[in-house]
Amino acid sequence: VPDSRKAQVRADIKDLEAKIRKAKSDLASVRDKTVTVRTHYVVSGDTENGVEFNDSDNTIFNGGTILGRSHGIFISGNSDGVNTIVNTGFISATNTDAIRATSAVNLTNSGTIDSTFGDGVDAQAGDRGSTIVNNGFIFGRDENALDLSISETSGDTVINNGFLQGGAGAVNLNG
C-alpha cells in the first residue's frame, strides 16, 4: 500500500474518531427521558400504552402519531415532578385516557388529543399545578376533555383557544 494511501486512511480514521466524539458529546447532553416523534413515525402500543414513563420530569415532543389501547401517553411515579408535552400531531387511546399522568403536566397542544372511553388529559398534579395551553382539539368522548386534580398547595391553569369536548364535561377540576 502506497504511503499516500496510508496517510489518507489515517486522516479518515481521525476524522471518524472526531465525529464519534462529537456524537457521544451530543448524546450525553440530551436528557435520557426525552421522546421526539416526527411526522413520519407512528408510535403504537398494541398491548397497553403508546409511550410510558415510570417517573416524572419527562419531556415529549410529538409531531406524529402516538396510539395506545389503554393510554396514548402514560406517566406514573413521583408526584412532585412536572412533565412537559408539546403536541402538534395526534395522540389517541381507545380504552382509557389519551394522556394520563400522576404528576403535573405542562401541555402545549396545537394538534389533536382523543380518547374514546376516558379523559382526553388526566393530570393528577400532586403538589404542583398543571398548565394546559390548547390551540387544537382535545376530546374525552366518554369522560372529560380535561380532568385535573388540585390540592391546597397547587393550582391548575387552562388557556383554551381551541376546542374542548367531553362526554361528561369539558373541564373537571378535582380538589
Side-chain angles (χ1 to χ4, degrees), residues 39-129:
T39 54
H40 58 278
Y41 292 111
V42 174
V43 175
S44 179
D46 290 335
T47 59
E48 192 72 25
N49 304 311
V51 174
E52 181 174 350
F53 289 111
N54 295 315
D55 203 357
S56 60
D57 294 319
N58 303 291
T59 303
I60 301 169
F61 299 97
N62 178 45
T65 301
I66 298 176
L67 306 172
R69 271 199 225 164
S70 288
H71 303 91
I73 297 173
F74 181 71
I75 303 168
S76 63
N78 182 356
S79 65
D80 294 333
V82 177
N83 303 286
T84 300
I85 301 171
V86 177
N87 180 49
T88 60
F90 183 69
I91 300 171
S92 179
T94 53
N95 295 338
T96 57
D97 310 318
I99 297 174
R100 169 79 164 104
T102 59
S103 51
V105 172
N106 288 338
L107 169 67
T108 302
N109 178 52
S110 60
T112 300
I113 299 170
D114 191 3
S115 172
T116 305
F117 293 108
D119 297 312
V121 177
D122 185 353
Q124 307 304 315
D127 293 335
R128 304 183 114 177

Side-chain angles (χ1 to χ4, degrees), residues 123-134:
Q124 307 304 315
D127 293 335
R128 304 183 114 177
S130 291
T131 300
I132 311 294
V133 178
N134 180 45

